Amino acid sequence: MTEPKITETLPAISFNAEELEAWVRAIVANYEGLVVTEDMVPAIKSEMAGLNKVRDRLEAARKEAVRRVSAPIREFEDRIKAVTAIIVEARAGLDAQVKAFEELQRADKRREVQFLITATLDEHGLPGLDIPIQDAWLNKTKPLKTIKAEVEAIILRHIQQERERAALEQARQDRAVAIEQKVEALAEIYGFSLPASSFLRLQDLQVPLAEALTQIEQAYSARAQAMRIAPAAPAATPPRSAQVLQPVAPAA
């Protein structure tokens, strides 16, 4: 069936624009250059009311003409919209069926992708790692080979992050042990212990360990000088328990 063509005839409004404009200019010519005085105000108000009436008649004529020439256009729009609705309804029925098939395909693809993720995690010994299925992986055009590569990349990033976290935690533990051993050694040498809270800021990995140990030595040295205590020579016998913040009492 041949598609019908739509032809239009442009609406026309007949009026003498030049004559209308000349008529209006003749009316307002009486007021050009007019200087209103106080005694003229009542009469001028009456003239202004007359001008309003002329304006209102012209506006009413314009609106009525537009209404008349627009009526066929509005009718045309309503008819075309009604016909278009038939097409929209037919397409909606097809769209619903197509989407139903696409959802089945996505469900099948989801099962394939989930199996691929599980198998890949098992290959890396990470069965407990949660990798959510991305919407892009469910597209019909997305090959499983590409999806597997992306899953591999996620797993490798996870492994790298875990290694970095483990290395960071080990560094913190090693640092804590080094600081603790340094404090114990200096406590044995000086005969007193400084509170562990004095060195909490030195647990920061941003501070080099050598600098942290030097600051601990300086803290003990400064406290010993304030207490007038000389460091003891290293003893050959097993170390005795250190006193907490108490200098060794001099002999009587």
Side-chain angles (χ1 to χ4, degrees):
M1 182 176 180
T2 305
E3 179 178 350
K5 295 183 178 181
I6 297 176
T7 59
E8 70 281 346
T9 301
L10 297 179
I13 300 177
S14 299
F15 76 107
N16 192 324
E18 291 76 11
E19 182 180 352
L20 178 61
E21 182 178 349
W23 177 69
V24 170
R25 288 192 179 278
I27 294 175
V28 300
N30 297 323
Y31 310 111
E32 292 180 359
L34 178 64
V35 177
V36 179
T37 60
E38 184 177 358
D39 61 318
M40 296 170 59
V41 169
I44 291 299
K45 285 186 176 180
S46 177
E47 293 292 329
M48 291 169 58
L51 291 174
N52 286 342
K53 291 179 180 179
V54 173
R55 180 203 61 197
D56 292 344
R57 288 200 303 271
L58 290 174
E59 283 294 304
R62 175 185 64 81
K63 293 178 181 178
E64 178 61 17
V66 170
R67 185 189 68 80
R68 289 181 177 180
V69 298
S70 298
I73 297 176
R74 290 193 296 270
E75 181 182 359
F76 167 76
E77 287 183 333
D78 293 341
R79 295 294 297 273
I80 292 297
K81 288 179 180 179
V83 173
T84 302
I86 298 173
I87 298 174
V88 172
E89 182 179 1
R91 185 190 180 283
L94 298 174
D95 185 59
Q97 297 180 65
V98 169
K99 286 183 177 179
F101 282 113
E102 288 178 344
E103 286 301 318
L104 290 175
Q105 292 173 350
R106 286 173 65 87
D108 291 340
K109 186 68 174 290
R110 180 180 293 276
R111 285 189 289 271
E112 292 178 348
V113 171
Q114 186 58 63
F115 179 81
L116 182 149
I117 292 173
T118 301
T120 307
L121 288 173
D122 289 341
E123 292 173 4
H124 290 272
L126 295 170
L129 180 62
D130 180 33
I131 299 182
I133 296 177
Q134 301 179 13
D135 286 341
W137 294 348
L138 300 180
N139 292 338
K140 185 178 180 180
T141 56
K142 190 83 167 182
L144 292 177
K145 181 179 179 180
T146 301
I147 298 173
K148 181 176 177 60
E150 294 179 7
V151 171
E152 289 273 5
I154 294 174
I155 293 173
L156 293 177
R157 283 198 301 271
H158 170 77
I159 293 174
Q160 181 62 28
Q161 290 171 355
E162 288 299 308
R163 287 174 178 171
E164 291 173 356
R165 277 195 288 267
L168 183 61
E169 182 60 29
Q170 186 61 49
R172 289 196 180 102
Q173 293 178 7
D174 293 344
R175 188 183 189 86
V177 170
I179 290 176
E180 180 181 1
Q181 291 176 345
K182 186 66 173 180
V183 169
E184 290 178 352
L186 291 173
E188 177 63 25
I189 292 173
Y190 286 98
F192 64 85
S193 294
L194 292 177
S197 59
S198 303
F199 309 112
L200 287 179
R201 61 184 179 81
L202 299 179
Q203 298 290 351
D204 187 355
L205 294 177
Q206 298 297 321
V207 180
L209 181 58
E211 180 180 337
L213 299 180
T214 298
Q215 290 186 30
I216 295 173
E217 292 176 354
Q218 292 172 348
Y220 268 91
S221 176
R223 178 58 62 90
Q225 289 179 7
M227 300 172 66
R228 297 181 181 179
I229 299 175
T237 57
R240 57 185 175 80
S241 299
Q243 302 176 13
V244 178
L245 290 177
Q246 296 293 331
V248 177

